[in-house]
Amino acid sequence: MIIGFFGTLGTQAIMVKNHEEKAIAVVKDAVKGGNLSNMSDAISQMQENTKQANEITHNRLWSFVASWPGVGSNIRVAQNLTQIVDDIVKQNAPEYANIATKLMQSKLLSDGSINIEPITEELPALATANSNLMKQLNRINDLEEPSIGIVRNLVNQAKGMVSTADNTLQQVEDVAKELPSYLGYYSPQTYAIMAMTPAEMRMSGGLIGAIGTLTLDRGKFTIGDFRSNPDYVQYGVADIDADSNRIFRAEGPLYMSYDVRDLANYPSTQSTAEAFKTIWDKTPWGENTELDGVILADPVMVQALVKATGDIKLPNGTVLTGSNTAEFLMNTVYKDYLDESDAYFGIVAKECVSKLMSQMDMKTIATLAKDVISLSHQRHFSMYSFNESLEKLLKDSGLSATTPTDKAKPAVGIYLTEQNPSKIGWYIQRSTKVTQICTDSAPYKYHVEYTLHNTLTDEEVEKLPNYLTGELSYNEGTGVEKILFFPPLGGEISNFKVEGTASTPQMDSLYAEIMYQSLAQIRPEQTVTYSFDVTTTKYATSQLKIDQTPMGTEDTHVQYMNSCPAN
């Protein structure tokens, strides 16, 4: 009987958990789908689930156990928590749904512009909704400390979310207030769009082939003409830091110039923006136009735009789709249309943005935003703004790339620079195996194997143009990669071993950050593998990530070999 009693209680606890998860899921689905007109239905479903969860924790069985000494206090905490959640969904969620509905009914998007007025009109309602929600969430902080581990963890997790929610809600308000500035309502905003190709790898992406502009003027987006890199090369090289000068300009094999072509050769978007501005300010078109930031985009990002907006037919008759655009711009164009390679990126980008603005709606924006965030985590897209508040938002969203900077979310940075002038990067296949070394407690340890394989054959090298395989006969068809390995913030990398033609990584520094530098030579059909151990800090709350120079596909080929039991 006792077993059945507690079994019933346990089963009902699982039911409570499932109802709460369903409540969150229905709203997430509505937001992800971009169809906020269905938000009212989603809120109704959410309310039904939280109501059922709250009714379960207040039924006779739970109320009976709540009267017991000791364990009863834990049940009372659980009852209070479900009551708070139910109150929030009943009283506060409709306020946000009402704001979303009004925005959907307004002319927020029209004629390729964003109309800021409906958003600013809702600012007082948003501030009120946020204030009311925080009053409810602060009730969670008043909950007593449970004695049972599973309940204590649940409450501590909820309390942690209160602080996160407070910061997020404040950020949403701040962004809404600053939107007129971001969208050029006070003065036009100009961003350089730097088209890069990972076919010739640079740390944050690839060689810069063309540069266009994005202008935001009172909510209207305009894409300017793309200029090929020779238009910028004539205005000299960028002002660069001492470390970059030492490692990449003063040391070979490729003694880099750091003209506009090399400006993605930084692990942070901020450094690229600051270096590019020193060239922009020298040009006739830039000396009288304030540069507000930069956007780095590669062909995989362009492919996502094509997928979202529809196929594009090029002047030569080629039809680009959501599945062949990246290969065309990173490989085919250099084999078959070399003279038009830089121009094609601009043609495709302008066509995509034009179509996007003409058919822009909340569903398209939601889909594209999801893709942009995902691709930015792989460095196919990044952005930097000289506006401090906007840049903070970009960094917090992961849209402004940096070296590993989060102790709670550890990452190893692996950044490559092609030292053989070529477009060989398309043929260098990279893959990673991550094995966690199970320990009783933090800090956590991992073993990583990072492999680079040249998929070219000697026969293919003979048939391909030298522009693609490299002009130097002794390195024809060969990837010569300078690779920098950055440990997680506060963590370390150790026990490097190398298989293949590559140097064992040696400790060095870049911007006062410790990193390890290696040079690899990967001839056709050859492979280089680096293996090493990684230790995170004790503050790590997620598994180790690999932050690396982007590839020619969305698939990063990172394989997690195991998982350890939760401590």
Side-chain angles (χ1 to χ4, degrees), residues 31-87:
V31 174
K32 283 181 180 179
N35 191 1
L36 299 184
S37 60
N38 291 335
M39 186 60 76
S40 295
D41 291 339
I43 294 296
S44 296
Q45 293 179 51
M46 191 180 189
Q47 290 172 337
E48 182 59 31
N49 277 290
T50 58
K51 174 186 175 184
Q52 291 184 33
N54 195 40
E55 287 176 348
I56 290 173
T57 61
H58 286 81
N59 66 23
R60 290 184 178 181
L61 174 61
W62 285 65
S63 297
F64 173 59
V65 178
S67 67
W68 294 3
V71 69
S73 63
N74 292 274
I75 297 297
R76 290 194 295 274
V77 170
Q79 289 177 319
N80 289 335
L81 187 57
T82 58
Q83 183 65 61
I84 293 170
V85 172
D86 193 38
D87 289 345

